[in-house]
């Protein structure tokens, strides 16, 4: 593993990135608002597993392709943005009876998991983050192989990010507990959650990097 001189700033930087409000936290909150606590947890799990795709890609050097082929980066970014917008529209249009709210259907939670894996894998910014962030703390002189250091550090980053996603789910569901008893409150939550996803998709599509 890298020396302590590298690990201390690594953990500090990881924590800062994890707690900063960003698209991942907003996405998790949106899924929680749309599908409840279980759906939020499944979304966090999906993002977590999807994150490993970027960790493995970074370890293999594949993420660097995005930096070498800007067209590929743009294409993946647009596909991911359109998928987020499509998910947001679907959440807004979906109708549920108020009686269903306290007990989320398993299929919806599983769908949140599947959607989140796809969203994370199709997020080129996540790939760029790992390939830009992890090398700063890899020590070629350490006894561990460089690719193993990438995997270990990437797994730690992914785990810390997932922890903050879980906290987001708990906080969001606590707020929802006060409004989920009415159909109007559920519709508001669904509209807000769907709008957040659409906004994230639009931002991703129009951002310059």
């Amino acid at each position: 593993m890298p020396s302590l001189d590298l690990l201390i700033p690594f953990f500090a930087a990881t924590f800062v990135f994890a707690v900063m409000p960003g698209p991942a936290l907003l996405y998790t909150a949106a899924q929680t608002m749309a599908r409840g606590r279980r759906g939020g947890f499944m979304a966090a799990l999906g993002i977590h597993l999807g994150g490993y795709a970027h960790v493995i890609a970074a370890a293999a050097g594949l993420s660097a392709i995005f930096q070498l082929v800007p067209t590929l980066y743009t294409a993946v970014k647009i596909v991911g943005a359109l998928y987020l917008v499509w998910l947001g529209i679907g959440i807004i249009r979906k109708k549920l009876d108020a009686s269903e709210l306290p007990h989320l259907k398993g299929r919806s939670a599983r769908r949140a998991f599947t959607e989140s894996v796809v969203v994370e894998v199709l997020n080129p910014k996540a790939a760029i983050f790992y390939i830009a962030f992890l090398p700063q703390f890899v020590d070629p002189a350490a006894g561990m192989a460089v690719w193993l250091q990438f995997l270990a550090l990437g797994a730690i980053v992914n785990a810390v990010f997932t922890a903050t996603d879980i906290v987001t789910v708990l906080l969001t569901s606590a707020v929802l507990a006060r409004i989920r008893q009415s159909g109007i409150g559920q519709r508001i939550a669904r509209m807000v959650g769907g709008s957040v996803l659409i906004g994230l998709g639009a931002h991703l599509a129009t951002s310059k990097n």
Side-chain angles (χ1 to χ4, degrees):
M1 287 294 288
S3 65
L4 194 61
D5 290 339
L6 287 176
L7 288 178
I8 291 177
F10 164 75
F11 281 109
T14 298
F15 176 78
V16 170
F17 277 116
V19 300
M20 287 177 58
L25 295 183
L26 289 175
Y27 174 83
T28 306
Q31 286 284 12
T32 305
M33 296 184 74
R35 295 192 167 104
R37 178 183 294 185
R38 185 180 176 189
F41 283 142
M42 293 301 287
L45 177 61
I47 293 175
H48 179 75
L49 294 181
Y52 283 118
H54 298 302
V55 173
I56 294 173
L62 298 179
S63 296
I65 295 177
F66 281 130
Q67 295 177 317
L68 298 176
V69 187
T71 302
L72 179 61
Y73 173 88
T74 302
V76 173
K77 182 178 74 170
I78 294 299
V79 171
L82 292 177
Y83 186 66
L84 276 175
V85 172
W86 179 74
L87 291 180
I89 294 174
I91 287 175
I92 291 175
R93 295 181 61 184
K94 186 176 182 180
K95 295 181 178 180
L96 294 174
D97 293 333
S99 59
E100 294 180 337
L101 297 178
H103 305 286
L104 188 71
K105 288 186 176 180
R107 186 177 65 178
S108 295
R110 288 194 298 270
R111 184 172 180 179
F113 168 77
T114 303
E115 292 173 352
S116 300
V117 172
V118 174
V119 165
E120 182 64 13
V121 171
L122 289 178
N123 182 5
K125 288 190 174 182
I128 294 297
F129 169 79
Y130 280 106
I131 199 62
F133 181 70
L134 296 181
Q136 312 302 321
F137 307 99
V138 170
D139 184 5
M144 181 181 291
V146 169
W147 68 271
L148 277 178
Q149 293 185 56
F150 265 100
L151 289 180
L153 295 176
I156 292 173
V157 171
N158 203 21
V160 173
F161 284 7
T162 299
T164 58
D165 287 340
I166 291 174
V167 172
T168 299
V169 172
L170 294 174
L171 293 176
T172 304
S173 61
V175 174
L176 285 178
R178 296 182 176 275
I179 65 175
R180 289 177 64 194
Q181 296 180 356
S182 69
I184 294 178
Q186 194 273 340
R187 284 194 295 273
I188 293 175
R190 195 175 65 240
M191 288 290 295
V192 172
S195 299
V196 169
L197 293 185
I198 293 173
L200 286 175
H203 174 73
L204 179 61
T206 57
S207 62
K208 296 182 180 181
N209 49 47

